[in-house]
Amino acid sequence: MFSFLCLIIILFVVYGEEISPQLVKERISLLSFKSDVVLDPEGALESWNSSGIHVCNWTGVKCNNASDRVVQLDLSGLSLRGRISPVLANLSSLLELELAGNNLLGEIPPIIGDLSTNCVQIHLEENILYGSIPSSISNLVNLTLLNLSSNLLNGTIPPELCRMGKLERVYLSNNSLSGEIPAALANISHLGLLDLSKNKLTGSIPDSFAYLSQLRRLFLYENQLSGTIPPSLGQCVNLEILDLSSNDISGTIPSEVAGLRSLKLYLNLSRNHLHGPLPLELSKMDMVLAIDLSSNNLSGTIPPQLGSCIALEYLNLSGNVLEGLLPATIGQLPYLKELDVSSNQLSGNIPQSIEESPTFKHLNFSFNKFSGNISNKGAFSSLTIDSFRGNDGLCGEIKGMPNCQRRNAHLSFILPVLLSLFATPLLCMFAYPLVLRLRFRRQMVILNGGDLGDEDKETKDLKHPRISYRELIEATGGFSASSLIGSGQFGHVYKGVLQDNTRIAVKVLDSKATGEISGSFKRECQVLKRAKHRNLIKIITICSKPDFKAFVLPLMSNGSLEGHLYPSHGLNTGLDLIQLVSICNDVAQGVAYLHHYSPVRVVHCDLKPSNILLDEDMTALVADFGIARLIKGADDSNSTDDSVFLSSSDGLLCGSVGYIAPGMFLLFATTWYYF
Ligand SMILES: *[C@@H]1O[C@H](CO)[C@@H](O)[C@H](O)[C@H]1NC(C)=O
Ligand SMILES: *[C@@H]1O[C@H](CO)[C@@H](O)[C@H](O)[C@H]1NC(C)=O
Ligand SMILES: *[C@@H]1O[C@H](CO)[C@@H](O)[C@H](O)[C@H]1NC(C)=O
Ligand SMILES: *[C@@H]1O[C@H](CO)[C@@H](O)[C@H](O)[C@H]1NC(C)=O
Ligand SMILES: *[C@@H]1O[C@H](CO)[C@@H](O)[C@H](O)[C@H]1NC(C)=O
Ligand SMILES: *[C@@H]1O[C@H](CO)[C@@H](O)[C@H](O)[C@H]1NC(C)=O
Ligand SMILES: *[C@@H]1O[C@H](CO)[C@@H](O)[C@H](O)[C@H]1NC(C)=O
Ligand SMILES: *[C@@H]1O[C@H](CO)[C@@H](O)[C@H](O)[C@H]1NC(C)=O
Ligand SMILES: *[C@@H]1O[C@H](CO)[C@@H](O)[C@H](O)[C@H]1NC(C)=O
Ligand SMILES: *[C@@H]1O[C@H](CO)[C@@H](O)[C@H](O)[C@H]1NC(C)=O
Ligand SMILES: *[C@@H]1O[C@H](CO)[C@@H](O)[C@H](O)[C@H]1NC(C)=O
Ligand SMILES: *[C@@H]1O[C@H](CO)[C@@H](O)[C@H](O)[C@H]1NC(C)=O
């Protein structure tokens, strides 16, 4: 240090520059600062040399008018690597200190508190500073802005910060700060912005924040805050942004906070554990642009008064337990662009006003209990089925949605009664084995594995006649259009007559759906063939070539249940109550066998009226079981035969009542609707 000092003095003498003794000191300090910078990839500090350039002209250095003191040091974003030299404390009139966006590594030296009290801004964000925030920083009583964001700081927030009474903006986000938010921060009377987001803060939001009358923006998101939202926050009458999202906050939304009409940017309370109703006071927020209350446990109805939030552009209420109607006033909000009410219990029609709104861009109604007819006009014209999924009662013109005409077919009034008759056995059959299977999955796998050994015997089983591709072509008139009797998700169904006069249905799997040929396909099919039951359609045989896969089934003279339920679409025979009960019973038995007793334990995954066929005695037979599983197996080129075969967990998911329900219960739900 001594020799360094000498050098400076010598140079000073040599160049005879007019430089005040104070500035000589500051130059020494700056050079000492530079000596702690180990990497300067942009050569920013090259000018910091003693050979002639005046200190006040060094990169990032700014002096006062008299050019005798350094008042600002701004070295932001220069990728400097090194540590923050304590020598900065010797810059007696400093600057603002801006060292943001570097690779400054290490702890913030406690001596930072010895920086000039003239210092009004400290920018140390986006460095690699670790350790805790030294409480001595509170000596900088003239500081108005402190930015320590995006470092690796840990420890607690020093309550002493409150001694910096002139602070206006405090950014401590994206660190690893823990502990509670000091209530004393509320003593910083000028505080306008407090960003403590993305830390590990715990405890509750201090009640004392009510005193922050100048507070405009409060960011506390992505912490582990718990407790409730203090109603006293409602006294922060200048608040523009309140973001408490992604915490563990519980309780209700206080009406005082909901009534903060000052909020003109956004309110984000999403991803917490809030419950209770949406407060009516929300309607006072007539300037707010975005309200996000998603992923909570909010209940009750959506108040039509929300239509008073006329500046609203974004409203997210998804992932709650809201029920009742979606108010038409929401559709009348003049600037609303994004509306997400997905995953609630909303019911009734989607209001016409939404379809008619010219502003909507993103809409999500999925996973509710909405019903009625959806057009593909107006705001809905750009939507896909994704926006409507999981609403059994919706029909309309969106691609992938059931057609309303079919729904409108006059269904018998007794179906609702049947619902209970049908649902009860179904629930028992599904739910019980489901629990059972979860528990005994291990044993089951072994059991199924044992079955595998029988395969050779199975292939030799001559009960399944061999039918060649040519025979199928002959039987169906070359898969002619006139023998086409149905099309579905997996392909087309043709009727045909074999040479021995057996009437057959040939289900040709779409080659797109089957994809790559999988070794598991054949084996799965053979296993499927062994699922035999009075109420399961018998697979006569399977025809499999690399580019052609078909199931040969007996032709059912009475067609599908769908044809009977929707007379306009098939046979015109109405079904009486006895027949319906009997059909339901058949279906339940067939499915129960698949789930419970069959050696294969197939899960249907696609139970719907079109998959329930009726033979000449009107006995119902479940068709198409296991096909979903086959296609999946075929698609999964990585999986070995065994993994496909043994992956009973997939089946478990598919087999849940919740999944089966849409297909079958849809029918009943619609009946209710048109009742
Ligand atoms: C001092 O800085 C100037 C300007 O960047 C440069 O031209 C000169 O080579 C530097 N001198 C030394 C000794 O680094
Ligand atoms: C800084 O450099 C400019 C020219 O680049 C010069 O006019 C000015 O006098 C220098 N300031 C000092 C204090 O040397
Ligand atoms: C510093 O100089 C500028 C002009 O260069 C002048 O406008 C300003 O008032 C001066 N400030 C002080 C404190 O003298
Ligand atoms: C600040 O300057 C004084 C002399 O003015 C010196 O004794 C002290 O070591 C310096 N502080 C640092 C941290 O360099
Ligand atoms: C704070 O700054 C003002 C002017 O900026 C100055 O007059 C005052 O002395 C400073 N306070 C302290 C404690 O240094
Ligand atoms: C503070 O730092 C954060 C994170 O780098 C940055 O986004 C923000 O703009 C900074 N604020 C100010 C006023 O410097
Ligand atoms: C958070 O800080 C890390 C560095 O600690 C940085 O890489 C990241 O981009 C920051 N994230 C945000 C959202 O600012
Ligand atoms: C902060 O991190 C350092 C390591 O960087 C560790 O030694 C210290 O225990 C941590 N302190 C707290 C309070 O977590
Ligand atoms: C905050 O201010 C109040 C008076 O307004 C005072 O009683 C209290 O001690 C202060 N808290 C701290 C931590 O300085
Ligand atoms: C609300 O917060 C969540 C999580 O913190 C975030 O994903 C979402 O984008 C925010 N919403 C708005 C409108 O800013
Ligand atoms: C609404 O919030 C949920 C959960 O917080 C999120 O997944 C979804 O993307 C949000 N919707 C929109 C339109 O931003
Ligand atoms: C949601 O609230 C209900 C009561 O309203 C409660 O039973 C349930 O446990 C809550 N769920 C969560 C995830 O907090």
Side-chain angles (χ1 to χ4, degrees):
M1 194 63 189
F2 178 72
S3 54
F4 199 47
L5 196 70
C6 291
L7 181 71
I8 303 284
I9 291 167
I10 289 163
L11 284 170
F12 172 63
V13 171
V14 169
Y15 289 97
E17 234 181 280
E18 218 180 295
I19 180 167
S20 74
Q22 176 59 35
L23 203 57
V24 172
K25 269 201 204 162
E26 308 222 324
R27 182 158 67 177
I28 294 165
S29 298
L30 288 173
L31 286 168
S32 173
F33 172 88
K34 181 184 174 181
S35 69
D36 275 332
V37 172
V38 294
L39 197 71
D40 176 13
E42 293 175 26
L45 301 187
E46 258 169 32
S47 64
W48 287 32
N49 61 35
S50 314
S51 60
I53 298 176
H54 194 279
V55 183
C56 296
N57 267 351
W58 288 2
T59 306
V61 177
K62 207 170 153 190
C63 296
N64 58 353
N65 273 2
S67 279
D68 62 356
R69 277 160 210 272
V70 175
V71 293
Q72 189 184 24
L73 185 57
D74 181 358
L75 299 173
S76 298
L78 296 176
S79 308
L80 301 178
R81 185 180 291 266
R83 62 168 193 145
I84 298 179
S85 168
V87 80
L88 288 179
N90 271 5
L91 296 171
S92 64
S93 300
L94 201 65
L95 34 290
E96 229 170 87
L97 179 62
E98 298 201 20
L99 298 174
N102 285 293
N103 287 313
L104 299 176
L105 183 79
E107 305 204 13
I108 301 177
I111 205 162
I112 194 155
D114 297 337
L115 283 180
S116 155
T117 48
N118 290 316
C119 193
V120 290
Q121 297 203 355
I122 291 187
H123 291 267
L124 292 175
E125 70 266 21
E126 294 170 39
N127 282 293
I128 318 172
L129 303 173
Y130 53 81
S132 55
I133 302 173
S135 55
S136 61
I137 204 168
S138 60
N139 291 341
L140 304 174
V141 291
N142 266 340
L143 211 61
T144 62
L145 186 149
L146 177 63
N147 200 343
L148 303 177
S149 290
S150 294
N151 280 289
L152 303 171
L153 298 169
N154 66 2
T156 57
I157 299 174
E160 290 84 358
L161 287 190
C162 75
R163 282 165 46 198
M164 297 190 276
K166 292 188 179 169
L167 272 179
E168 291 165 6
R169 288 177 285 172
V170 175
Y171 302 84
L172 302 178
S173 73
N174 195 18
N175 281 289
S176 296
L177 299 169
S178 56
E180 301 199 1
I181 300 174
L185 291 187
N187 275 17
I188 310 177
S189 59
H190 295 289
L191 199 60
L193 183 150
L194 181 61
D195 187 353
L196 305 179
S197 62
K198 290 170 171 271
N199 278 291
K200 295 175 178 163
L201 299 169
T202 52
S204 49
I205 301 167
D207 225 10
S208 60
F209 276 13
Y211 300 115
L212 293 171
S213 60
Q214 300 297 312
L215 195 62
R216 283 166 207 277
R217 302 180 179 197
L218 180 58
F219 303 95
L220 301 178
Y221 61 92
E222 286 186 47
N223 277 289
Q224 293 149 24
L225 298 171
S226 52
T228 57
I229 302 175
S232 58
L233 268 189
Q235 293 172 39
C236 299
V237 292
N238 283 304
L239 216 51
E240 299 169 350
I241 297 178
L242 178 59
D243 193 340
L244 309 180
S245 62
S246 297
N247 277 291
D248 293 322
I249 300 170
S250 53
T252 58
I253 302 176
S255 53
E256 292 85 347
V257 173
L260 270 169
R261 35 179 340 155
S262 59
L263 279 190
K264 58 181 176 215
L265 295 171
Y266 63 87
L267 172 68
N268 196 346
L269 304 178
S270 75
R271 301 176 203 218
N272 278 292
H273 308 297
L274 299 168
H275 66 86
L278 297 182
L280 276 184
E281 286 79 2
L282 278 177
S283 60
K284 292 187 188 167
M285 293 192 184
D286 52 5
M287 297 189 289
V288 78
L289 300 181
I291 295 181
D292 191 344
L293 304 178
S294 63
S295 295
N296 278 289
N297 198 9
L298 299 167
S299 55
T301 58
I302 300 177
Q305 288 88 336
L306 269 190
S308 308
C309 302
I310 50 163
L312 213 53
E313 295 178 2
Y314 175 100
L315 178 60
N316 196 343
L317 301 175
S318 84
N320 283 291
V321 284
L322 299 168
E323 59 191 14
L325 299 173
L326 180 60
T329 53
I330 301 289
Q332 288 151 5
L333 284 166
Y335 303 105
L336 198 59
K337 292 194 188 97
E338 296 188 55
L339 173 67
D340 192 341
V341 294
S342 61
S343 300
N344 278 288
Q345 319 265 333
L346 299 170
S347 55
N349 288 343
I350 293 174
Q352 186 79 13
S353 58
I354 292 183
E355 180 195 322
E356 286 164 2
S357 164
T359 53
F360 280 118
K361 294 217 169 68
H362 182 108
L363 288 163
N364 196 346
F365 305 103
S366 60
F367 300 100
N368 276 288
K369 296 172 175 170
F370 286 118
S371 54
N373 189 343
I374 300 296
S375 80
N376 58 3
K377 303 194 178 65
F380 295 162
S381 60
S382 57
L383 300 184
T384 65
I385 184 74
D386 286 336
S387 296
F388 299 95
R389 244 177 245 292
N391 287 283
D392 295 349
L394 289 181
C395 64
E397 295 153 20
I398 308 283
K399 193 161 173 274
M401 208 179 253
N403 192 307
C404 290
Q405 259 87 60
R406 296 168 73 184
R407 294 291 191 75
N408 278 323
H410 33 82
L411 291 159
S412 94
F413 287 111
I414 45 164
L415 276 172
V417 180
L418 274 173
L419 173 61
S420 51
L421 286 173
F422 181 77
T424 316
L426 214 66
L427 275 167
C428 299
M429 306 284 186
F430 290 144
Y432 175 62
L434 210 67
V435 172
L436 210 70
R437 293 179 64 210
L438 271 171
R439 251 207 221 154
F440 296 110
R441 202 169 124 210
R442 213 152 238 283
Q443 284 96 316
M444 239 184 57
V445 166
I446 293 164
L447 188 92
N448 279 347
D451 277 352
L452 267 180
D454 288 342
E455 211 205 318
D456 285 354
K457 203 169 73 199
E458 179 66 31
T459 38
K460 287 188 214 117
D461 187 350
L462 294 177
K463 263 190 258 165
H464 296 289
R466 288 179 183 280
I467 301 176
S468 70
Y469 181 57
R470 269 192 55 169
E471 284 171 286
L472 286 183
I473 290 186
E474 281 167 20
T476 59
F479 298 107
S480 68
S482 61
S483 50
L484 183 69
I485 54 172
S487 294
Q489 196 185 347
F490 300 131
H492 302 288
V493 187
Y494 300 86
K495 65 178 176 189
V497 186
L498 291 177
Q499 277 182 335
D500 65 357
N501 281 331
T502 311
R503 302 182 67 206
I504 54 165
V506 185
K507 181 154 215 147
V508 182
L509 299 188
D510 192 342
S511 58
K512 271 182 236 129
T514 48
E516 288 291 298
I517 309 140
S518 149
S520 69
F521 181 83
K522 241 180 158 165
R523 173 141 70 172
E524 283 264 345
C525 293
Q526 274 157 355
V527 175
L528 280 180
K529 281 195 294 189
R530 285 191 283 161
K532 290 192 201 102
H533 186 268
R534 188 182 96 92
N535 299 112
L536 297 181
I537 197 104
K538 199 177 86 193
I539 297 175
I540 297 177
T541 194
I542 288 146
C543 182
S544 172
K545 303 202 309 156
D547 55 348
F548 177 87
K549 290 183 172 54
F551 290 84
V552 181
L553 315 165
L555 189 69
M556 292 289 128
S557 48
N558 273 315
S560 75
L561 176 61
E562 186 178 49
H564 291 270
L565 291 175
Y566 310 113
S568 61
H569 261 252
L571 308 172
N572 223 340
T573 343
L575 297 170
D576 62 30
L577 177 62
I578 308 283
Q579 283 173 316
L580 280 166
V581 173
S582 151
I583 288 169
C584 288
N585 185 44
D586 289 344
V587 172
Q589 295 214 13
V591 172
Y593 171 83
L594 277 180
H595 278 234
H596 203 19
Y597 306 108
S598 146
V600 206
R601 292 168 212 275
V602 180
V603 177
H604 195 292
C605 296
D606 197 22
L607 194 60
K608 57 187 177 193
S610 63
N611 279 338
I612 293 167
L613 305 181
L614 302 170
D615 72 7
E616 59 267 39
D617 307 328
M618 293 301 281
T619 302
L621 290 90
V622 178
D624 266 9
F625 48 87
I627 293 189
R629 174 168 144 142
L630 283 181
I631 304 292
K632 191 169 183 301
D635 272 349
D636 190 356
S637 48
N638 287 336
S639 60
T640 67
D641 291 358
D642 282 6
S643 73
V644 171
F645 181 65
L646 298 177
S647 63
S648 50
S649 55
D650 296 347
L652 281 177
L653 282 177
C654 283
S656 73
V657 176
Y659 186 86
I660 300 241
M664 285 305 278
F665 292 165
L666 189 80
L667 169 71
F668 301 112
T670 344
T671 320
W672 274 115
Y673 181 70
Y674 289 109
F675 213 171

